[in-house]
Amino acid sequence: MTVTPPRPTTIIVSPRLSKKLGVELVLASETFQYTGSFKFRAAYNVASNVEQDHIITASSGNFGQAIAYACSMFDKRCTVVMPETAPKIKVNAVREYGAEVDLVDLTKKGRLERLGELAKEYPEAYVASPYDDPFVIEGNASLAEELFELGLDLDYIIAPIGGGGLTSGLVNAVKRSGTKTQVLAAEPLLANDAAESFRAGHIVSTPDEGATIADGARVLRIGDRNWEILSQGLAGVIEVTEDQIKEGVRLLFAFANLKAEPTGALALGAVLAEPTRFTGKKVCCVISGGNADPALYAKLVEGI
């Protein structure tokens, strides 16, 4: 298979959406990235840098697809632990990219617990965290680097947060750039461990992954490496309601002709959550992925 590095992000400017929100808005869409989300940036960096021939990870779907595809490029074996509740479209895609899927019932065992079992079963394998891994963080930094190379003078970059790998990469890239751009994280209110962590001043874990529609942001806690970066460099966490996430999906469809999965619409949901904060500012919303369950997506955009 031909080795293809990550695609440059797609920049979309929607004058109608900017006018509606009162914000000078730029969308950095990763929906056209290989495997449909920003996760390929991280996965490519992992697969191209580790020496091991077998990579195992846990994923709700997007990182699983990305690492499966990246491993296929570098002729590496890949095993992905996924929850039984993961969208079928994502489970099927991981398998189609050539990886082995290990489904786990989250009511009986956590993904990370199962990942630990596999790590003991395959001691020669590289265990890749979908977010708390130095190769993952550095791979994600490439997104912000592209924005700065385009000469975008941004007040804010807003990106979704789950485990923190994307926002950590963005914070590192902004720090290296020397710009005054601030990075903000957008998090579902129903899975707000990051916001709780920032309020507490230390990592706060949640008892379960939450029931948010934004399945890509369902995690128990921020990664340790990510917390070290984010606690020093993130400008804040904005909590987004389920209605605001859904409205973000609809607005992207109606005003930008863009299909985003709910997690991908979190950044726009953050603008809806705190509109006065961004009035008149130049804001880049990272639309992190477009791997939406078709039936769910159809319901979300119905009636527009």
Side-chain angles (χ1 to χ4, degrees):
M1 180 179 288
T2 304
V3 174
T4 51
R7 289 173 173 152
T9 197
T10 301
I11 300 298
I12 299 172
V13 177
S14 172
R16 288 178 62 217
L17 187 54
S18 291
K19 183 177 180 181
K20 180 176 179 64
L21 299 176
V23 175
E24 191 176 347
L25 193 66
V26 174
L27 305 176
S29 180
E30 288 288 283
T31 64
F32 305 109
Q33 186 57 264
Y34 293 111
T35 71
S37 83
F38 78 96
K39 294 284 190 178
F40 182 73
R41 295 175 179 273
Y44 181 90
N45 207 42
V46 172
S48 63
N49 280 288
V50 303
E51 296 178 355
Q52 290 87 336
D53 292 324
H54 184 190
I55 296 174
I56 59 177
T57 192
S59 169
S60 61
N62 279 344
F63 187 71
Q65 292 178 68
I67 197 71
Y69 184 46
C71 282
S72 71
M73 288 183 184
F74 293 96
D75 294 320
K76 299 191 177 197
R77 182 183 175 190
C78 182
T79 304
V80 182
V81 176
M82 299 183 71
E84 289 182 342
T85 54
K88 189 175 180 181
I89 189 173
K90 293 183 178 181
V91 175
N92 290 342
V94 171
R95 288 182 172 139
E96 288 167 12
Y97 285 123
E100 303 158 35
V101 175
D102 188 290
L103 292 175
V104 62
D105 181 350
L106 295 182
T107 63
K108 298 177 180 178
K109 185 180 296 184
R111 280 181 291 181
L112 295 182
E113 183 183 350
R114 178 58 184 153
L115 188 62
E117 292 175 355
L118 287 175
K120 291 179 181 177
E121 188 176 340
Y122 301 108
E124 79 290 349
Y126 182 85
V127 180
S129 167
Y131 48 85
D132 199 31
D133 182 292
F135 292 123
V136 165
I137 295 167
E138 193 54 34
N140 291 331
S142 64
L143 175 54
E145 289 165 357
E146 289 175 16
L147 298 178
F148 296 131
E149 285 170 6
L150 292 171
L152 297 178
D153 184 20
L154 302 167
D155 294 303
Y156 295 101
I157 300 173
I158 312 174
I161 189 168
L166 174 57
T167 44
S168 291
L170 297 176
V171 165
N172 279 351
V174 168
K175 186 176 180 180
R176 289 195 293 261
S177 75
T179 68
K180 294 182 179 179
T181 302
Q182 295 186 60
V183 178
L184 288 166
E187 182 176 51
L189 182 60
L190 292 184
N192 65 342
D193 60 286
E196 294 286 7
S197 297
F198 272 82
R199 281 191 282 269
H202 58 81
I203 294 177
V204 172
S205 299
T206 55
D208 57 63
E209 294 186 352
T212 176
I213 193 174
D215 61 283
R218 295 175 191 160
V219 297
L220 299 178
R221 66 193 292 277
I222 296 175
D224 293 327
R225 288 185 180 86
N226 298 322
W227 174 250
E228 188 175 337
I229 295 166
L230 297 174
S231 61
Q232 302 298 318
L234 191 69
V237 181
I238 297 175
E239 293 163 290
V240 186
T241 67
E242 297 299 289
D243 284 345
Q244 288 161 347
I245 296 170
K246 294 173 184 177
E247 182 63 11
V249 170
R250 288 191 283 265
L251 288 173
L252 290 169
F253 177 81
F255 288 86
N257 196 27
L258 188 62
K259 177 174 77 75
E261 61 188 279
T263 309
L266 269 169
L268 191 61
V271 176
L272 298 173
E274 296 190 12
T276 57
R277 182 175 191 164
F278 303 108
T279 301
K281 301 293 185 181
K282 190 162 187 178
V283 178
C284 176
C285 287
V286 176
I287 312 304
S288 59
N291 295 319
D293 176 79
L296 172 63
Y297 188 79
K299 288 181 181 178
L300 290 175
V301 299
E302 188 178 22
I304 289 179

